[in-house]
């Protein structure tokens, strides 16, 4: 596939890296010559220096042959204009734009596929807010991912001392679950390296465990891997009143006691006028005295969501030292996130990785129903739909143990109608089944794609 990516920032770079290994012809456009040079040294791609909204630059970058345009520059206006030009002048069939401003997303013209210049619009702030909201709802979870409209969830937790299953084999999990409940451990990462789960695999302390279950049974499975939280989440303190902080407070304020801390007095006033049931404070998130005054030790979760990675890391570490049981930091640099998560900071949220999954669901060849980037982009979880019949499909009518999956791929479960079927070897795939596949080595994604595309269609 010929793919044109506008913007070589963190999201554009992540998309290019994810697709470059899948036999795609990729061209990246950016105004920063050095950034493009660095990217070309790492990836087998073509680069063009210039403004992505100029027709001449798009033409030079090969827009005439492009099957897909991904506009992820830092400017919403540039992204929209580039998609408009790609539609009207170059007839590019698929056009995906990253849009930060919510007012653009509400425009009727973007919602009508007949007139919209954008095939799909991605809002990073909205995606990150939903991601954090799910994490707050499950204390102890590192990631919470929805599949089949929320009928199934993939949850990542860190196994800690005191968990009932720690030190035991995975085959014992079903013995501990309530009647009628079932779950499947889809993958394990131990000291940063993948361990394919088998019945005899023993869970160790600090293992990062990904399991799939019906959302009703998630708390029961989590209790097997870590001590049950003694108190439910009631009090949330958000540091940073940017778009993410403000929207998260708005999403939470009717269910939790929410405080927002913002350095700018003017912006704090604006936030206070927008929120109905939240307390807005003017102050620095690294102010130890202020955190003490706001009873940080009685706060259930502290979310550091400013635009500064260093400030988020330091303030989250400070909140943890002052007695907050659970702290979350928004961290843009992947190296920082990998370094701090699991230590004094419980959860490091990477906006780029959250956004990348949503982008891949629209732009990867075959368009899977859902794509989630995991473990800083090393692994992926995808939801695919079985189409066709036994003659035209490589999966329909076959048992899961007979599917030709690559070594790193595991099927966690199948959503059939409103029911989640945990993936046991004798389960047979039927038409319209939603299969949830965990791929620990994303380099093997083309093999997974081929398995479901040959004679079948991704959703």
């Amino acid at each position: 596939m010929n793919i044109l990516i506008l913007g070589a920032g963190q999201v554009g770079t992540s998309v290019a890296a994810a697709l470059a290994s899948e036999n795609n012809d990729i061209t990246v456009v950016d105004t920063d010559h050095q950034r493009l040079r660095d990217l070309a040294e790492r990836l087998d791609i073509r680069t063009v220096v210039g403004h992505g909204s100029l027709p001449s630059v798009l033409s030079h970058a090969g827009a005439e042959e492009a099957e897909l345009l991904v506009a992820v520059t830092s400017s919403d206006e540039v992204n929209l204009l580039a998609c408009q030009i790609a539609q009207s002048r170059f007839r590019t069939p698929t056009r995906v734009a990253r849009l930060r401003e919510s007012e653009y997303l509400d425009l009727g013209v973007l919602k009508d596929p007949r007139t919209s210049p954008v095939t799909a619009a991605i809002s990073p702030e909205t995606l990150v807010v939903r991601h954090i909201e799910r994490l707050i709802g499950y204390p102890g979870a590192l990631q919470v991912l929805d599949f089949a409209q929320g009928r199934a969830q993939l949850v990542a937790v860190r196994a800690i001392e005191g968990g009932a299953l720690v030190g035991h084999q995975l085959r014992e999990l079903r013995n501990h679950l309530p009647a009628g409940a079932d779950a499947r451990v889809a993958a394990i990462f131990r000291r940063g390296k993948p361990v394919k789960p088998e019945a005899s695999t023993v869970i160790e302390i600090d293992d990062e465990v990904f399991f799939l279950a019906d959302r009703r049974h998630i708390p029961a499975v989590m209790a097997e891997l870590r001590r049950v939280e003694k108190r439910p989440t009631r009090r949330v303190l958000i540091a940073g009143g940017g778009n993410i902080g403000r929207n998260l407070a708005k999403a939470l304020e009717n269910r939790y006691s929410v405080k927002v801390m913002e350095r700018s007095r003017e912006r704090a006033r604006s936030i206070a006028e927008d929120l109905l049931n939240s307390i807005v404070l003017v102050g620095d998130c690294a102010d130890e005295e202020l955190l003490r005054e706001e009873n940080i030790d009685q706060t259930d979760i502290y979310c550091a969501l400013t635009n500064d990675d260093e400030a988020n890391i330091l303030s989250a570490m400070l909140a943890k030292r002052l007695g907050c049981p659970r702290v979350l930091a928004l961290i843009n640099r992947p190296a920082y996130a990998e370094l701090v998560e699991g230590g004094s900071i419980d959860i490091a949220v990477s906006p780029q990785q959250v956004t990348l999954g949503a982008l891949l669901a629209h732009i990867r060849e075959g368009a899977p129903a859902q794509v989630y980037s995991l473990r800083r982009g090393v692994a992926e979880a995808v939801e695919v739909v079985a189409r066709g019949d036994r003659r035209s499909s490589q999966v329909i009518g076959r048992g899961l143990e007979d599917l030709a999956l690559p070594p790193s791929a595991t099927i966690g479960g199948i959503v059939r109608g409103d029911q989640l079927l945990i993936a046991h070897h004798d389960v047979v795939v039927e038409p319209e089944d939603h299969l949830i596949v965990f791929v620990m080595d994303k380099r093997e994604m083309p093999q997974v794609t081929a398995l479901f595309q040959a004679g079948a269609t991704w959703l």
Side-chain angles (χ1 to χ4, degrees):
M1 180 183 289
N2 290 319
I3 301 174
L4 180 55
I5 300 174
L6 308 182
Q10 291 175 322
V11 172
T13 298
S14 299
V15 172
L19 298 177
S21 61
E22 299 178 12
N23 298 320
N24 296 301
D25 294 323
I26 296 175
T27 302
V28 179
V29 177
D30 197 276
T31 56
D32 191 323
H33 184 273
Q34 186 59 48
R35 183 181 292 174
L36 290 176
R37 178 181 296 176
D38 294 341
L39 186 60
E41 289 178 354
R42 295 192 293 111
L43 303 174
D44 182 18
I45 61 173
R46 177 174 174 247
T47 62
V48 173
V49 179
H51 291 275
S53 60
L54 293 177
S56 59
V57 173
L58 290 173
S59 179
H60 181 56
E64 292 90 347
E65 293 80 29
E67 302 165 72
L68 168 66
L69 173 76
V70 183
V72 288
T73 75
S74 59
S75 169
D76 286 0
E77 292 74 19
V78 169
N79 295 339
L80 282 171
L81 183 56
C83 288
Q84 177 69 68
I85 295 171
Q87 177 195 40
S88 60
R89 184 162 181 172
F90 301 109
R91 300 290 187 264
T92 306
T94 306
R95 306 165 304 280
V96 181
R98 180 177 66 171
L99 300 177
R100 289 189 170 94
E101 180 52 61
S102 59
E103 289 189 35
Y104 287 136
L105 296 170
D106 294 333
L107 288 175
V109 67
L110 295 184
K111 298 179 180 180
D112 188 345
R114 296 170 300 177
T115 59
S116 176
V118 177
T119 306
I122 302 296
S123 170
E125 285 80 5
T126 300
L127 294 170
V128 171
V129 166
R130 290 176 182 168
H131 181 76
I132 297 174
E133 192 177 358
R134 288 195 294 265
L135 290 172
I136 291 174
Y138 289 110
L142 299 174
Q143 281 188 292
V144 181
L145 312 175
D146 283 336
F147 292 96
Q149 288 79 48
R151 285 170 285 179
Q153 290 185 321
L154 183 70
V155 179
V157 297
R158 193 176 304 281
I160 62 175
E161 189 173 359
L165 197 61
V166 176
H168 297 270
Q169 296 180 346
L170 286 180
R171 60 165 52 94
E172 300 178 36
L173 175 61
R174 297 183 71 182
N175 300 331
H176 293 259
L177 297 178
D182 202 355
R184 172 69 182 266
V185 174
I188 300 171
F189 285 87
R190 181 171 296 160
R191 292 180 287 277
K193 296 182 179 181
V195 175
K196 191 162 185 177
E198 298 177 348
S200 59
T201 303
V202 176
I203 297 295
E204 298 182 5
I205 294 174
D206 284 334
D207 279 357
E208 193 171 325
V209 182
F210 289 80
F211 69 86
L212 182 75
D214 187 294
R215 64 187 310 159
R216 297 169 299 174
H217 305 141
I218 296 295
V221 182
M222 290 180 64
E224 296 302 307
L225 297 167
R226 45 188 305 123
R227 293 186 299 271
V228 178
E229 300 290 336
K230 295 182 179 180
R231 65 186 190 191
T233 301
R234 293 194 179 95
R235 293 171 289 274
V236 181
L237 177 55
I238 299 171
N243 290 336
I244 293 176
R246 180 201 293 249
N247 292 335
L248 179 63
K250 187 179 293 186
L252 298 177
E253 64 178 355
N254 291 327
R255 290 173 289 155
Y256 303 94
S257 173
V258 177
K259 293 180 181 178
V260 180
M261 189 182 299
E262 167 59 41
R263 290 186 64 178
S264 167
R265 185 173 297 276
E266 182 178 348
R267 183 160 184 82
R269 184 181 296 110
S270 173
I271 296 170
E273 293 173 354
D274 190 34
L275 301 176
L276 300 176
N277 301 314
S278 302
I279 296 173
V280 182
L281 310 168
V282 179
D284 189 338
C285 62
D287 186 337
E288 181 174 344
E289 184 177 348
L290 178 59
L291 290 176
R292 290 185 185 276
E293 288 177 358
E294 296 305 323
N295 300 313
I296 189 64
D297 59 326
Q298 298 300 313
T299 299
D300 297 309
I301 182 167
Y302 175 80
C303 302
L305 307 178
T306 75
N307 294 323
D308 187 321
D309 281 3
E310 288 80 2
N312 291 340
I313 293 171
L314 292 174
S315 68
M317 293 174 66
L318 177 61
K320 190 76 169 183
R321 183 171 66 82
L322 294 177
C324 184
R326 193 168 174 227
V327 299
L328 176 152
L330 190 71
I331 302 177
N332 287 286
R333 298 185 183 181
Y336 283 7
E338 191 74 29
L339 181 65
V340 302
E341 185 175 73
S344 54
I345 294 178
D346 299 297
I347 305 171
V349 174
S350 168
Q352 286 72 33
Q353 292 303 315
V354 175
T355 305
L356 176 60
L359 284 168
L360 290 177
H362 291 288
I363 66 183
R364 174 165 281 144
E365 188 174 5
Q370 292 285 356
V371 177
Y372 293 105
S373 183
L374 310 172
R375 288 291 306 169
R376 316 297 171 212
V378 173
E380 289 185 4
V382 298
E383 174 187 343
V384 295
V385 181
R387 302 289 196 189
D389 54 32
R390 185 178 178 85
R391 291 178 300 174
S392 61
S393 170
Q394 295 187 73
V395 298
I396 292 176
R398 294 166 175 79
L400 296 184
E401 64 180 354
D402 298 323
L403 300 186
L405 289 166
S408 76
T410 303
I411 296 178
I414 295 176
V415 177
R416 183 174 296 162
D418 292 327
Q419 183 183 10
L420 170 65
L421 305 177
I422 295 301
H424 299 300
H425 66 90
D426 56 347
V427 174
V428 176
V429 180
E430 296 182 2
E432 304 303 319
D433 278 352
H434 290 238
L435 288 82
I436 300 166
V437 186
F438 193 101
V439 185
M440 289 186 288
D441 185 349
K442 70 177 185 181
R443 292 174 297 182
E444 294 184 345
M445 273 304 304
Q447 295 174 251
V448 176
T449 302
L451 176 64
F452 288 91
Q453 270 195 321
T457 306
W458 297 77
L459 181 64

